[in-house]
Amino acid sequence: MLSHAEEDAMSTNHYDPEREAELKAEAEKYIPPGYDPDLYKIRHSAAHIMAQAVMERFPGARIAIGPPVKDGFYYDFELPRSPTEEDLAWIEQRMKEIIKGKHRFHVREVSVEEARELFEDQPYKLELIEGLAQGQYDEYGNKLPEDQRPKITVYQHDTFVDLCRGPHVEHTGQIKANAIKVMRVAGAYWRGDEKNPMLTRIYGTAWRNRVELEQYLKRLEEAKKRDHRRLGKDLAIFAIEPQMVGPGLVLWQPNGAVIRDQLERFLKEEQIRRGYQPVYTPHIAKVDLFKTSGHYPYYKDSMFPPMVVDENEEYLLKPMNCPFHIMIYKQHLRSYRDLPIRFAEFGTVYRFEQSGEVSGMTRVRGFTQDDAHLFCRPDQLEDEFKSVVELTLKVFRSLGLTDFRARVGVRDPESDKYVGSDDVWEQATQAILNALNDYDFDYTVEEGEAAFYGPKLDFVVNDVLGREWQLGTVQVDYNLPQRFDLTYIGDDNQPHRPVMIHRAPFGSMERFVGILIEHLNGAFPPWLAPVQVVLIPIADRHVEYARSVAARLFAQDIRVKVDESASRMNAKIRAAQMQKIPYMLIVGDKEIEHEAVAVRLRSGEDLGAMPVGEFEAKVRQLVAERTMDLW
RNA sequence: GCCACCGUAGCUCAGUCGGUAGAGCAGCUCACUCGUAAUGAGCAGGUCGUCGGUUCGAGUCCGACCGGUGGCUCCA
């Protein structure tokens, strides 16, 4: 093993500790806001160490990039073959050895020429160097602002030299060998473009110490238990039969149907109050409808193939509801006095998602949007938009989903997949941004996240595995009214073009319920719980009384069951707990005597005996209020 | 669609060297009649994802396909 002095000497021909300190200090600015600086450096350095180990295991491997990510890091390689479990174990072991060598990380600035020379066998690095040389891209291939010309720096530890902007730990010994783990391999396209070759991405994780690593692994285990696919099965909420029914096609079991129905009722009430009119439309329509809307040419690939009735008659499963609602709008001549018109429908749509993408309830091929389309005059747009945002916020908050992210999706200027003129897009985007000024939640503006007909405001929530899902969405659309030639007659007796808002507070019932399952860990509030109350008779002689109490509650629209199984009381309680039923009513001799029930909450709290009427009134009240509270 | 891994009872999983499939839970039956998270005994339950190949013989080895999981790309 080399001494530090020897490494220092070897690392560069002109080792300059002062310059190095400067560069390292400068590199600190690359730590993203909100990312723990220590962990960032540990993970970034661990990525280099892993790359060294991989190069030793696969001599001649090509290296791409290796940044820290949430909870860990990865490095992308082009390898002669796919790594096996043994390879990964070897790499992890070797990483631990390198760490124990306490090799120092050295940095120096190099010229473009020297960088090209250093990485002459590394085509991906050369590509990055060219980007740096032109001053347009940083070493991760991200575009840089005009005024920012990057330095080219290389970091070295032990035998491994990498084009890298840093920052890193001082020496490998600052990483704990028992706090790192090689996690898994995945494919990833070079620079995220599917036209490029697919590289092998190796994910790893690194923490400050062993305890933190263990806590992280524990957290992953816990997350799996909360996974809506797991809970959806355990709690009989939904099912998917890929072989018989099809991938991404959801079967709502009775429990799931209760949850969905309650959510739908909630939203319908809110919508009626806000002047929405329910409509119903078919699941299929002629191709012509989607040609007019613009779906057909742009999104043909993500629709199920057409049903051909005969040569001139083809039908498509609808991927969206809007064209149908537009056709309803067109049934009459509309006056400016009629607007806004708001058509609402829980409309089921079908989209042929890529096979690698369907997942549980969150990414499916058939789903029901809580859709509505608002047709309004331009002067009404802002108020309508805000009213929709407020409805969405109300829906989220009343379900405890406060941890959302707001995203304004605008066009990707380099893509041609959008319909409509530039100024119309600009107009729509401004309308959204203006309206948002009045709210206190933060939002980000992201290119390429728009709908094909207009920009949108999305409410994005994480699942238990940290993946983001778009739930509620509000979209401003000047394009479809034009394509369908929608008009209303203004006070000047002339036809005018209405503006449309597409909106879905839940997004889709499938995805929303999937995410809700995870957020609530399957423990639904009383108003949503598939079974609200279970009667637990202590012995067989108490069954009859339990039934009579159940009948009384049932008559008050409370969803109630009697556990008449031959199990002991403790087993019945356990079963009810595992089904996350909010209320367990234990009835024995004492309760029968006093027309009472002994109330146990899902939380484990024992409220003792109370008159049936008292319990009934309390539950009815909690359900009517649609509160998250158990008692 | 691409890369990797995976597919055995309703669920979670075991199955050695290729010799003809097993446990726990759930279910059913019986006994027990119990006071706040698992009573006991018995019974039943499988075309080992599908198709093909190798072999005297395949859950096990090989191939194709279908599907799932994690990523990537995509996402109206």
Side-chain angles (χ1 to χ4, degrees), chain A residues 63-65 75 119 122-129 162-163:
Chain A
I63 54 177
I65 58 169
Y75 211 112
F119 296 100
Q122 292 292 345
Y124 300 107
K125 291 295 180 190
L126 286 176
E127 203 178 317
L128 297 175
I129 290 164
D162 200 359
L163 177 74

Side-chain angles (χ1 to χ4, degrees), chain A residues 555-613:
Chain A
Q556 297 298 321
D557 293 327
I558 292 171
R559 298 184 289 274
V560 58
K561 283 199 165 142
V562 182
D563 187 342
E564 299 187 24
S565 69
S567 312
R568 293 164 64 217
M569 180 199 68
N570 274 336
K572 291 177 184 178
I573 288 173
R574 181 160 190 275
Q577 286 286 154
M578 292 202 301
Q579 287 297 303
K580 303 182 196 257
I581 296 167
Y583 307 104
M584 286 153 257
L585 304 184
I586 287 110
V587 292
D589 295 335
K590 285 183 275 182
E591 285 72 25
I592 292 175
E593 196 179 329
H594 299 105
E595 278 277 315
V597 287
V599 180
R600 179 192 161 104
L601 303 180
R602 177 174 63 198
S603 60
E605 202 178 341
D606 179 0
L607 299 182
M610 68 181 70
V612 179

Side-chain angles (χ1 to χ4, degrees), chain A residues 453-591:
Chain A
Y453 47 71
K456 54 181 187 161
L457 170 66
D458 293 328
F459 294 86
V460 177
V461 176
N462 287 87
D463 70 11
V464 284
L465 296 175
R467 296 174 295 204
E468 286 197 328
W469 297 99
Q470 174 203 316
L471 297 179
T473 181
V474 190
Q475 310 173 358
V476 176
D477 181 6
Y478 289 86
N479 281 313
L480 292 185
Q482 203 173 335
R483 296 184 70 90
F484 282 92
D485 191 25
L486 299 188
T487 57
Y488 64 89
I489 305 301
D491 57 3
D492 56 1
N493 200 29
Q494 295 297 308
H496 295 269
R497 188 78 73 208
V499 190
M500 269 177 81
I501 295 174
H502 309 239
R503 46 103 280 176
F506 292 132
S508 90
M509 301 314 294
E510 285 76 6
R511 181 176 288 178
F512 192 88
V513 169
I515 294 295
L516 195 58
I517 290 169
E518 299 191 355
H519 271 258
L520 300 173
N521 197 12
F524 288 90
W527 70 282
L528 288 175
V531 176
Q532 295 164 319
V533 178
V534 63
L535 269 295
I536 299 181
I538 292 174
D540 286 350
R541 65 177 179 279
H542 308 126
V543 167
E544 198 188 332
Y545 175 70
R547 283 182 187 154
S548 73
V549 173
R552 174 173 170 180
L553 297 175
F554 181 77
Q556 297 298 321
D557 293 327
I558 292 171
R559 298 184 289 274
V560 58
K561 283 199 165 142
V562 182
D563 187 342
E564 299 187 24
S565 69
S567 312
R568 293 164 64 217
M569 180 199 68
N570 274 336
K572 291 177 184 178
I573 288 173
R574 181 160 190 275
Q577 286 286 154
M578 292 202 301
Q579 287 297 303
K580 303 182 196 257
I581 296 167
Y583 307 104
M584 286 153 257
L585 304 184
I586 287 110
V587 292
D589 295 335
K590 285 183 275 182
E591 285 72 25

Side-chain angles (χ1 to χ4, degrees), chain A residues 206-268:
Chain A
W207 298 83
R208 281 189 198 77
N209 51 55
R210 182 179 58 87
V211 175
E212 279 189 10
L213 172 65
E214 280 168 5
Q215 283 170 346
Y216 169 65
L217 297 175
K218 179 92 178 156
R219 212 164 74 223
L220 283 184
E221 285 302 308
E222 293 300 315
K224 275 186 198 160
K225 287 184 202 157
R226 282 178 89 109
D227 190 313
H228 75 279
R229 291 165 297 192
R230 169 86 262 137
L231 288 169
K233 213 174 240 186
D234 291 345
L235 303 179
I237 292 169
F238 73 99
I240 292 174
E241 283 290 341
Q243 305 287 354
M244 291 297 282
V245 179
L249 300 174
V250 175
L251 303 171
W252 292 78
Q253 300 189 62
N255 287 342
V258 168
I259 295 162
R260 172 169 166 177
D261 180 49
Q262 291 299 326
L263 290 172
E264 289 184 1
R265 288 192 204 192
F266 168 45
L267 186 58
K268 279 177 182 168

Side-chain angles (χ1 to χ4, degrees), chain A residues 51-197:
Chain A
Q52 178 186 348
V54 169
M55 292 299 287
E56 292 175 13
R57 183 72 168 181
F58 299 99
R62 303 268 165 76
I63 54 177
I65 58 169
V69 291
K70 187 177 187 299
D71 296 335
F73 60 89
Y74 67 79
Y75 211 112
D76 286 347
F77 306 93
E78 186 185 307
L79 301 176
R81 61 174 171 83
S82 302
T84 60
E85 287 295 317
E86 295 84 74
D87 292 325
L88 297 182
W90 187 93
I91 289 162
E92 184 175 308
Q93 203 46 48
R94 179 65 188 128
M95 286 176 70
K96 292 177 195 288
E97 287 168 27
I98 296 168
I99 285 170
K100 286 174 182 157
K102 299 190 175 169
H103 305 288
R104 285 163 70 163
F105 276 87
H106 287 291
V107 56
R108 67 190 170 101
E109 188 174 356
V110 296
S111 66
V112 174
E113 293 70 32
E114 193 185 345
R116 285 191 186 125
E117 219 169 286
L118 270 171
F119 296 100
E120 59 181 355
D121 298 329
Q122 292 292 345
Y124 300 107
K125 291 295 180 190
L126 286 176
E127 203 178 317
L128 297 175
I129 290 164
E130 290 318 307
L132 287 165
Q134 288 160 26
Q136 291 174 342
Y137 299 96
D138 65 15
E139 58 270 42
Y140 292 140
N142 297 316
K143 262 195 169 168
L144 281 172
E146 288 290 327
D147 56 338
Q148 201 179 321
R149 289 190 66 85
K151 285 193 181 72
I152 301 183
T153 53
V154 294
Y155 278 77
Q156 171 165 12
H157 76 275
D158 198 12
T159 62
F160 185 77
V161 185
D162 200 359
L163 177 74
C164 181
R165 66 185 185 187
H168 285 281
V169 295
E170 283 300 314
H171 64 86
T172 62
Q174 288 178 345
I175 302 170
K176 294 271 183 294
N178 59 11
I180 60 151
K181 190 170 164 58
V182 174
M183 299 296 282
R184 60 182 176 272
V185 298
Y189 299 106
W190 167 237
R191 289 193 150 168
D193 188 334
E194 65 179 323
K195 291 181 207 74
N196 287 335

Side-chain angles (χ1 to χ4, degrees), chain A residues 428-457:
Chain A
T429 306
Q430 273 314 315
I432 292 179
L433 295 176
N434 285 345
L436 282 177
N437 279 335
D438 290 0
Y439 294 95
D440 58 359
F441 56 78
D442 292 330
Y443 60 86
T444 57
V445 177
E446 290 177 36
E447 284 185 355
E449 295 291 337
F452 81 93
Y453 47 71
K456 54 181 187 161
L457 170 66

